[in-house]
């Protein structure tokens, strides 16, 4: 069983930056995709950015240019650099990872506990 642990959240003023880190431990095999999601108060969880084991990235359209996801190829850790933060970026940020086995027939999803980001105006 893979465990994900996030760190780096906190309080920042609008226009500031934060860097979130997520590390995976336990389990076996390679981690395929890793991602960051966020959930603002009263809203559904949404994708922030995703990165594959080969480094291909996907971003929520509204966040392109301000957020950067990074991961060493094949490594079990992922970072999210967040710049020019806005109050609407406030929320709990969750790390996500998945693993595929048997040619994709079996998939496991993993979630971290979340880290709080609060952006003051």
């Amino acid at each position: 069983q893979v465990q994900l642990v996030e760190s780096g959240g906190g309080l920042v003023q609008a226009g500031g930056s934060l860097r979130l880190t997520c590390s995976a431990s336990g389990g076996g095999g390679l981690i395929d995709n890793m991602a960051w999601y966020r959930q603002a108060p009263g809203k559904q969880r949404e994708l922030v950015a995703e990165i594959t084991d080969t480094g291909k990235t996907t971003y929520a359209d509204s966040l392109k240019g301000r957020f950067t996801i990074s991961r060493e190829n094949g490594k079990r850790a992922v970072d999210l650099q967040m710049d020019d933060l806005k109050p609407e970026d406030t929320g709990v940020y969750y790390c996500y990872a998945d693993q595929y086995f048997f040619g994709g027939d079996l998939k496991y999803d993993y979630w971290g506990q979340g880290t709080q980001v609060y952006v003051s105006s």
Side-chain angles (χ1 to χ4, degrees), residues 98-109:
D98 60 34
Q99 290 182 300
Y100 289 85
F101 299 96
F102 305 112
D105 288 341
L106 180 63
K107 178 186 178 184
Y108 290 110
D109 296 313

Side-chain angles (χ1 to χ4, degrees), residues 24-118:
S25 62
L30 298 174
I31 300 290
D32 290 285
N33 305 303
M34 299 190 80
W36 288 95
Y37 286 73
R38 70 183 183 184
Q39 187 165 18
K43 295 187 177 181
Q44 289 188 330
R45 192 174 296 188
E46 62 175 359
L47 175 69
V48 173
E50 182 179 50
I51 187 165
T52 69
D53 59 340
T54 58
K56 181 180 179 182
T57 58
T58 304
Y59 291 91
D61 287 342
S62 61
L63 300 176
K64 287 180 181 178
R66 294 195 298 121
F67 288 18
T68 304
I69 191 169
S70 61
R71 174 189 180 192
E72 291 186 55
N73 285 354
K75 294 297 185 181
R76 287 173 151 236
V78 62
D79 291 346
L80 183 70
Q81 177 67 36
M82 304 185 293
D83 298 317
D84 190 23
L85 283 160
K86 305 177 186 301
E88 52 264 41
D89 294 319
T90 293
V92 179
Y93 284 68
Y94 296 92
C95 182
Y96 165 89
D98 60 34
Q99 290 182 300
Y100 289 85
F101 299 96
F102 305 112
D105 288 341
L106 180 63
K107 178 186 178 184
Y108 290 110
D109 296 313
Y110 307 101
W111 291 93
Q113 293 297 309
T115 184
Q116 177 72 51
V117 171
Y118 183 80

